[in-house]
Amino acid sequence: DLYVLNYKMNGICRKHGFVSDPHFNSHNPSGNFNSYIPDIEQSLERINNNKEYELVLGYAHSTGGPVLLNYIMEKGDDAFDGFLFNSPFLDWGYVALSVELLLENTGILEKLGAMNPDTKMGTATTPEGTTPLKYLGQEIVVSDWSARLWSLYYFDWASRPLYKVPMTVGFAKGVSDVHRKMEAFKAKKRPITVKPFLCITSRGDDVLESPETLGRADWIGPGRWEVELNDNGHDVFLSYDANDTEMAIQMCLTWMKNRKFA
């Protein structure tokens, strides 16, 4: 059985009218990923009430990585028997050093009053000579990256945006704070979990840098298996070549069988 926990302003939650601002996609209004802990706890409670499972495997992709790791650092890993991380967001990836410094220190700028959690960074504007598109009263610009992905893997437009979304200070602060927590665990030589986990990523990741991802995966714990593919996308299961996607699936399945998760 597969259970999916959506952002409140993305995924199936969009159909429930939870989206107040179309630019707030993975936005965190508090700037603190501890705000997701009750959601994870309620999800685990529902899973356990639904059926008594012999094994529970936690899965996270991209920003889901820091969300899940933060939960484990705060609440422990008792609810899970292992983990599968698909290109987890463990460092800031392909951004200039000056931008990375800004993203890592948005909390300081917030304290100085220069920003707040709702501040948007990098909002796209409509190209000159083109009629602007409006959604929920905001100007949106179609994302070529999302459109290309949609052309290969159909998804409901009402569940995932096809337009560019800016980063918010709340999101940046939340991510950076989890990264600092991970560094603190590493400095104390304390594993985040000793349970088995697979970290799978790709050199073809156009969002994160795979050497950084794999390097910081070592901080999670000693029970790690790491797979670096070559041509897969940021989500290794949504690659532009179906053969690459199938290879990623089979590698994960092999690991799951080896660890008796399948």
Side-chain angles (χ1 to χ4, degrees):
D1 295 333
L2 176 66
Y3 297 85
V4 178
L5 178 59
N6 288 137
Y7 282 120
K8 292 185 178 72
M9 290 176 281
N10 199 6
I12 201 67
C13 297
R14 284 178 167 263
K15 295 183 177 181
H16 294 291
F18 295 165
V19 181
S20 58
D21 186 321
H23 293 155
F24 288 168
N25 184 43
S26 53
H27 172 53
N28 186 293
S30 68
N32 189 332
F33 277 19
N34 285 351
S35 62
Y36 298 128
I37 290 177
D39 298 317
I40 297 174
E41 289 178 328
Q42 291 173 31
S43 298
L44 289 168
E45 182 180 2
R46 173 167 290 192
I47 290 170
N48 292 329
N49 289 338
N50 183 54
K51 185 177 178 180
E52 186 175 344
Y53 291 98
E54 183 179 347
L55 295 170
V56 175
L57 183 66
Y59 170 81
H61 165 60
S62 196
T63 307
V67 170
L68 180 55
L69 289 168
N70 183 67
Y71 174 84
I72 300 168
M73 288 187 285
E74 293 292 332
K75 295 294 183 177
D77 60 7
D78 289 346
F80 304 95
D81 297 286
F83 305 92
L84 200 165
F85 295 102
N86 169 6
S87 302
F89 190 176
L90 305 183
D91 203 350
W92 279 103
Y94 292 105
V95 296
L97 179 59
S98 57
V99 176
E100 185 167 355
L101 288 171
L102 171 64
L103 295 172
E104 290 176 342
N105 294 284
T106 50
I108 296 175
L109 295 172
E110 183 184 355
K111 289 179 181 178
L112 294 173
M115 295 179 169
N116 64 67
D118 292 341
T119 300
K120 303 171 185 178
M121 298 182 289
T123 304
T125 56
T126 302
E128 189 175 348
T130 305
T131 302
L133 297 175
K134 294 274 187 158
Y135 174 45
L136 295 177
Q138 296 279 358
E139 182 179 328
I140 59 171
V141 179
V142 173
S143 164
D144 52 350
W145 189 92
S146 297
R148 179 170 58 172
L149 184 65
W150 179 84
S151 72
L152 296 169
Y153 299 93
Y154 173 80
F155 53 84
D156 187 343
W157 291 9
S159 298
R160 178 171 179 162
L162 275 173
Y163 52 84
K164 299 177 181 179
V165 291
M167 189 179 301
T168 66
V169 167
F171 171 85
K173 182 178 181 299
V175 169
S176 292
D177 285 351
V178 175
H179 291 169
R180 290 190 184 95
K181 284 185 186 179
M182 293 180 65
E183 289 186 87
F185 269 68
K186 176 179 178 289
K188 295 177 181 178
K189 297 183 179 179
R190 177 185 172 189
I192 296 171
T193 181
V194 295
K195 293 184 176 177
F197 72 89
L198 172 67
C199 179
I200 185 167
T201 186
S202 173
R203 293 185 182 184
D205 189 335
D206 55 358
V207 177
L208 304 174
E209 297 186 55
S210 62
E212 293 179 345
T213 301
L214 293 174
R216 292 199 170 193
D218 292 346
W219 300 2
I220 298 173
R224 65 188 177 279
W225 280 257
E226 298 172 356
V227 174
E228 183 184 40
L229 302 167
N230 194 65
D231 300 318
N232 295 60
H234 176 49
D235 185 337
V236 298
F237 303 132
L238 296 177
S239 300
Y240 300 134
D241 188 319
N243 291 321
D244 291 326
T245 296
E246 181 62 24
M247 180 169 60
I249 292 171
Q250 291 303 319
M251 286 186 168
C252 290
L253 180 58
T254 297
W255 176 81
M256 291 174 66
K257 288 180 176 178
N258 179 270
R259 294 293 91 199
K260 305 297 189 272
F261 289 121

